[in-house]
Amino acid sequence: DTAVSQTPKYLVTQMGNDKSIKCEQNLGHDTMYWYKQDSKKFLKIMFSYNNKELIINETVPNRFSPKSPDKAHLNLHINSLELGDSAVYFCASSQKGARWAFFGQGTRLTVV
Amino acid sequence: KQEVTQIPAALSVPEGENLVLNCSFTDSAIYNLQWFRQDPGKGLTSLLLIQSSQREQTSGRLNASLDKSSGRSTLYIAASQPGDSATYLCAVPNAGNNRKLIWGLGTSLAVNP
């Protein structure tokens, strides 16, 4: 049973398109995150939701919009994709107060 | 500003060797330090978490140590196996915001049979 699952694993799309990446966790955690891994393998946090409320919103373009329909899901929608959006995006979850985070397998987004 | 550095960037060893991966951080006021493993296509796996009050943690063939005063942590892997081949990352929570992790660039390990 996958704890944190992301779909799709790979996404290749053209500039200007709108796409979504889905994330689901079955761990019963109340906090979920989206990270972007850059070419140097740094993981930079983008968003964090706790009980469906946005608690961290780092400086990312407005084209990126997270949506949390419930505590177990945090989807990432990206409008007007640009070449620079190409990266691996990781979803993660944790329980509030815990210092562990469980990560998904990542979604490799390639914008052409 | 916290910075995390990992040395070496890459390591290739024959199977069976004991090895040490290094992680250093500039701000010693940390709450904890985590070691992760990243496998291609499988995401990140949390290996060990060391609280600031602890000096080491062990899990199987893995042993992680923490020296806050010198800003260093080491991950010791005993009797390495080809299955240990992966990228190993260390991370510390950002001061004032425990949900934000500051990551090193990782050590890419290859264990050759």
Side-chain angles (χ1 to χ4, degrees), chain A residues 4-104:
Chain A
V4 181
S5 61
Q6 297 178 226
T7 54
K9 294 182 184 180
Y10 302 96
L11 182 56
V12 181
T13 187
Q14 291 185 326
M15 286 177 56
N17 285 348
D18 301 338
K19 291 292 179 183
S20 293
I21 306 173
K22 296 183 178 181
C23 179
E24 177 182 4
Q25 55 96 2
N26 62 6
L27 299 165
H29 289 165
D30 59 4
T31 306
M32 296 184 70
Y33 315 80
W34 275 107
Y35 287 84
K36 179 181 180 180
Q37 185 180 47
D38 63 21
S39 58
K40 295 183 179 180
K41 295 188 179 180
F42 272 120
L43 280 174
K44 300 179 180 179
I45 192 168
M46 300 173 66
F47 302 101
S48 175
Y49 268 73
N50 176 259
N51 284 324
K52 296 176 55 181
E53 291 186 16
L54 181 65
I55 56 174
I56 294 177
N57 183 3
E58 294 298 308
T59 304
V60 299
N62 292 333
R63 300 180 293 103
F64 290 78
S65 57
K67 288 182 172 56
S68 180
D70 54 56
K71 288 197 304 182
H73 296 83
L74 181 61
N75 304 323
L76 182 64
H77 188 74
I78 314 171
N79 291 325
S80 303
L81 279 157
E82 301 177 356
L83 293 177
D85 297 332
S86 296
V88 180
Y89 292 84
F90 284 95
C91 175
S93 74
S94 69
Q95 194 62 25
K96 184 179 180 180
R99 297 191 170 95
W100 294 94
F102 291 82
F103 286 79

Side-chain angles (χ1 to χ4, degrees), chain A residues 40 42 58 90 99-100 104, chain B residues 32 34 46 98 100 103 105:
Chain A
K40 295 183 179 180
F42 272 120
E58 294 298 308
F90 284 95
R99 297 191 170 95
W100 294 94
Chain B
N32 58 58
Q34 294 189 48
S46 185
N98 291 344
K100 186 173 182 177
W103 298 79
L105 289 177

Side-chain angles (χ1 to χ4, degrees), chain B residues 7-112:
Chain B
I7 296 174
L11 186 61
S12 180
V13 299
E15 183 177 3
E17 277 203 4
N18 302 323
L19 50 97
V20 176
L21 308 181
N22 297 295
C23 173
S24 61
F25 43 94
T26 53
D27 186 350
S28 62
I30 62 172
Y31 291 99
N32 58 58
L33 183 144
Q34 294 189 48
W35 281 94
F36 292 84
R37 168 181 172 147
Q38 184 177 26
D39 294 277
K42 293 185 180 181
L44 291 168
T45 302
S46 185
L47 296 173
L48 289 163
L49 168 69
I50 311 178
Q51 299 290 355
S52 61
S53 58
Q54 298 174 319
R55 293 195 64 84
E56 65 178 299
Q57 280 287 317
T58 299
S59 176
R61 294 182 293 109
L62 303 179
N63 176 277
S65 67
L66 175 64
D67 185 343
K68 279 183 57 177
S69 60
S70 66
R72 293 179 181 179
S73 175
T74 61
L75 179 66
Y76 176 83
I77 303 177
S80 58
Q81 302 171 357
D84 295 331
S85 299
T87 298
Y88 291 81
L89 299 155
C90 70
V92 295
N94 191 34
N97 185 343
N98 291 344
R99 292 183 177 87
K100 186 173 182 177
L101 294 178
I102 308 298
W103 298 79
L105 289 177
T107 295
S108 180
L109 173 65
V111 181
N112 306 306

